Amino acid sequence: MDLTNTPIDHDASAQSAADNDAARVDAELQAEAERTEQRKAERKAYKEKRRFNAATFLPSASHPYTERAVPLNSSYAQKLFLGLFPRAQLTVYGIQVMLPIIGRDDNNDAVESILLKMLETQLTAIKNETARIHQLLRDNSTEVNLKYTDAKTFTTKIYVPTANRMLSILEHYDRLNEAADAAWHAGLLTSTQRKTVSSSWRRAIAKLVREMHSIYMRSKAAARRDGERRKNEENERRRARATRVRRPAVAAASAETVVEASAVESEDTPVGDVLGPLSQAA
């Protein structure tokens, strides 16, 4: 069969080439989209791996600890314990363990004193509020035997002693909620008042933890700046001492060079040049 005179459909060939190009571009775009999604997944997994979880925090070195059982009846106190105590203990650990490593003792003592005062002030305020509600119950000769449907006891590790004060705040917050619940059951508090007692003190404790963390971060930054300043000052002192040591050595070397140069000049001076003036004088 003679194909030499068979007409060629250029439009079909061009369309086929265009379709192939489009399919290739689609495949490349699909592959690039898959690679992008894979990179996103890898970055997300890396961030999750690096993300610090205060609830599972463990000191990197062998560190002493004690265990403490924390019974909490109200759901408000239970949620606050799970949500805030790990971060609070981590903050206290940073102040009492990490700052002494990088900071000065007098500054560290001042920061720790501020921390203890904040915790004590909060604990006293919660105790006073609880006592006020108990007084309300006594004034109305009311006694309510409360039970809770899902009371829990948490066992936690204590890495620094000041963390016990934070636990005391949470335990007294739980007792405050118990007092508010008793007054509510006795008809002495409305539902709104009961909720206000729990939520307002929950916010106060959360604010305390944020302020503690802020103090720690500022103190750590200040300690690092102070460390860099002292390091620079020490380097300057070392350079100054090195300069003082080099100066006498340079002076001695200069003196030796002058002596050697004089000796060389005397050796190079011709005898006739020395005797010439003497012979002319004679």
Side-chain angles (χ1 to χ4, degrees):
M1 182 178 179
D2 187 8
L3 300 177
T4 56
N5 295 324
T6 302
I8 300 175
D9 190 350
H10 295 285
D11 294 338
S13 299
Q15 183 63 38
S16 177
D19 291 342
N20 291 336
D21 291 340
R24 186 178 65 256
V25 170
D26 290 340
E28 292 175 353
L29 292 176
Q30 180 65 26
E32 180 62 27
E34 292 176 356
R35 288 193 294 269
T36 300
E37 290 299 324
Q38 183 179 358
R39 287 194 294 268
K40 289 182 178 179
E42 291 174 353
R43 285 197 296 269
K44 183 177 180 180
Y46 179 72
K47 290 180 179 179
E48 290 293 336
K49 183 179 179 180
R50 283 180 53 88
R51 182 170 295 161
F52 187 82
N53 188 354
T56 58
F57 164 73
L58 287 174
S60 58
S62 182
H63 187 81
Y65 71 91
T66 60
E67 288 188 348
R68 178 172 170 179
V70 187
L72 299 174
N73 292 322
S74 66
S75 60
Y76 292 107
Q78 293 172 6
K79 292 177 181 178
L80 206 58
F81 170 81
L82 294 174
L84 286 183
F85 176 72
R87 183 181 180 185
Q89 174 161 237
L90 180 60
T91 298
V92 176
Y93 179 89
I95 292 175
Q96 295 190 310
V97 177
M98 301 306 297
L99 279 185
I101 297 176
I102 63 177
R104 294 167 50 186
D105 292 342
D106 52 350
N107 292 339
N108 299 334
D109 291 341
V111 173
E112 187 170 349
S113 177
I114 293 173
L115 173 68
L116 295 176
K117 185 176 180 180
M118 291 171 61
L119 291 170
E120 189 63 31
T121 300
Q122 186 71 72
L123 181 59
T124 301
I126 294 177
K127 287 181 177 179
N128 292 339
E129 181 67 9
T130 305
R132 188 181 68 83
I133 298 178
H134 283 159
Q135 186 62 45
L136 176 65
L137 292 169
R138 286 193 296 269
D139 291 343
N140 289 272
S141 302
T142 303
E143 183 177 352
V144 179
N145 185 20
L146 283 179
K147 293 183 180 180
Y148 285 83
T149 60
D150 195 19
K152 296 179 180 179
T153 298
F154 301 91
T155 301
T156 185
K157 294 179 179 180
I158 305 298
Y159 297 113
V160 285
T162 307
N164 283 301
R165 301 200 180 195
M166 190 66 205
L167 284 180
S168 296
I169 289 176
L170 294 175
E171 288 176 334
H172 279 85
Y173 172 68
D174 187 53
R175 295 170 191 171
L176 172 62
N177 281 294
E178 291 176 12
D181 290 342
W184 178 58
H185 273 272
L188 302 176
L189 292 180
T190 65
S191 299
T192 301
Q193 289 172 328
R194 168 180 175 257
K195 178 183 176 183
T196 300
V197 169
S198 298
S199 60
S200 61
W201 286 100
R202 182 179 70 247
R203 288 193 299 269
I205 296 173
K207 181 181 178 181
L208 170 66
V209 175
R210 289 195 302 269
E211 290 176 349
M212 290 165 50
H213 185 70
S214 177
I215 289 174
Y216 167 57
M217 296 303 292
R218 294 199 305 270
S219 301
K220 182 171 67 171
R224 287 178 174 173
R225 288 194 301 269
D226 184 66
E228 287 294 328
R229 180 184 58 79
R230 288 186 281 116
K231 182 179 178 180
N232 292 335
E233 291 176 353
E234 179 61 24
N235 291 336
E236 288 295 331
R237 286 193 293 269
R238 289 180 179 178
R239 283 193 289 268
R241 287 195 298 266
T243 301
R244 288 195 298 270
V245 171
R246 283 197 301 268
R247 284 177 180 173
V250 171
S254 301
E256 292 176 1
T257 303
V258 171
V259 172
E260 291 176 358
S262 300
V264 171
E265 290 178 358
S266 62
E267 292 176 358
D268 293 342
T269 303
V271 177
D273 293 343
V274 176
L275 299 179
L278 296 177
S279 60
Q280 291 176 1

